[in-house]
Amino acid sequence: KASQKPPLTWEQNCCDAFLRLVFIVCKGNIHQRPIVNCDQTGVILILSVPYHTYNPHRSKQVKLHGKEEKRAFTSLIITSIESGMLPTLLVWARKTGQYLPALQLRALVENDGHLFSFNRKTHWGFLPTIKIYFEELIKLYGDGIITKHGLQANAKMIVYFNCWTVYKS
């Protein structure tokens, strides 16, 4: 299946989206710091050299994230005006969570706030994973920004999801 091409009017669409965002910020008196942009990108891991690892030399045990020739996951990424990159949510295509990367490998990045999830059908994010992302990362970030800058408790936050029509859920 061929990838979807951007519409011919993509430049005008981007300009319109920017102007809508400016209008909402100005009209709603929204502070600039709690504005975040979300996107997702697919990542395909291909084990190209079967006898190579990044573990220390002479390690007795080598943890792998999978023995297949190819593994795919999606990284949901958030950028903010205040902090740059926020932690990511990595979505793996598996029927159960037991096929996520090894717990010891995940723990290294989960300690920094990154999340792992799975989708039973595909590695792309879908509504339940977006909800996890929002509740466990975006909302906490917004609450922290409101507290840090002394904004009103009911201050508004803008979450801009970069969506194409191919994202149906």
Side-chain angles (χ1 to χ4, degrees):
K1 180 176 166 180
S3 64
Q4 182 167 341
K5 304 286 187 254
L8 296 175
T9 58
W10 71 268
E11 288 183 74
Q12 184 62 46
N13 294 353
C14 289
C15 185
D16 292 348
F18 172 75
L19 292 174
R20 278 194 293 276
L21 184 61
V22 169
F23 177 80
I24 291 167
V25 168
C26 292
K27 186 78 172 165
N29 196 26
I30 298 171
H31 197 276
Q32 68 182 5
R33 298 199 190 272
I35 298 175
V36 296
N37 180 32
C38 306
D39 200 356
Q40 63 180 350
T41 186
V43 179
I44 298 176
L45 302 175
I46 300 173
L47 302 175
S48 59
V49 181
Y51 300 109
H52 182 78
T53 179
Y54 290 101
N55 282 60
H57 185 64
R58 299 184 195 270
S59 294
K60 300 278 186 209
Q61 291 273 323
V62 177
K63 292 284 179 189
L64 295 177
H65 64 274
K67 296 177 184 172
E68 299 89 7
E69 292 180 21
K70 174 174 90 168
R71 290 284 294 245
F73 66 93
T74 296
S75 179
L76 282 85
I77 303 163
I78 309 173
T79 55
S80 73
I81 293 172
E82 172 80 10
S83 306
M85 298 293 291
L86 275 63
T88 59
L89 169 65
L90 304 177
V91 181
W92 296 78
R94 292 290 169 233
K95 293 187 193 268
T96 67
Q98 77 183 61
Y99 294 106
L100 293 173
L103 186 57
Q104 296 86 344
L105 297 174
R106 291 194 328 250
L108 296 172
V109 293
E110 285 176 335
N111 289 338
D112 292 331
H114 300 279
L115 301 173
F116 287 82
S117 183
F118 64 94
N119 181 343
R120 295 179 191 278
K121 296 180 180 178
T122 176
H123 64 86
W124 290 103
F126 66 129
L127 190 57
T129 56
I130 297 295
K131 285 181 180 179
I132 291 169
Y133 198 40
F134 193 87
E135 292 166 0
E136 297 189 25
L137 290 174
I138 298 172
K139 185 177 181 325
L140 292 176
Y141 169 78
D143 292 346
I145 290 297
I146 288 169
T147 303
K148 178 179 177 181
H149 294 287
L151 303 175
Q152 295 179 359
N154 64 346
K156 295 176 184 172
M157 178 179 189
I158 294 179
V159 180
Y160 188 84
F161 284 97
N162 189 357
C163 296
W164 291 86
T165 57
V166 293
Y167 303 147
K168 300 293 186 197
S169 65

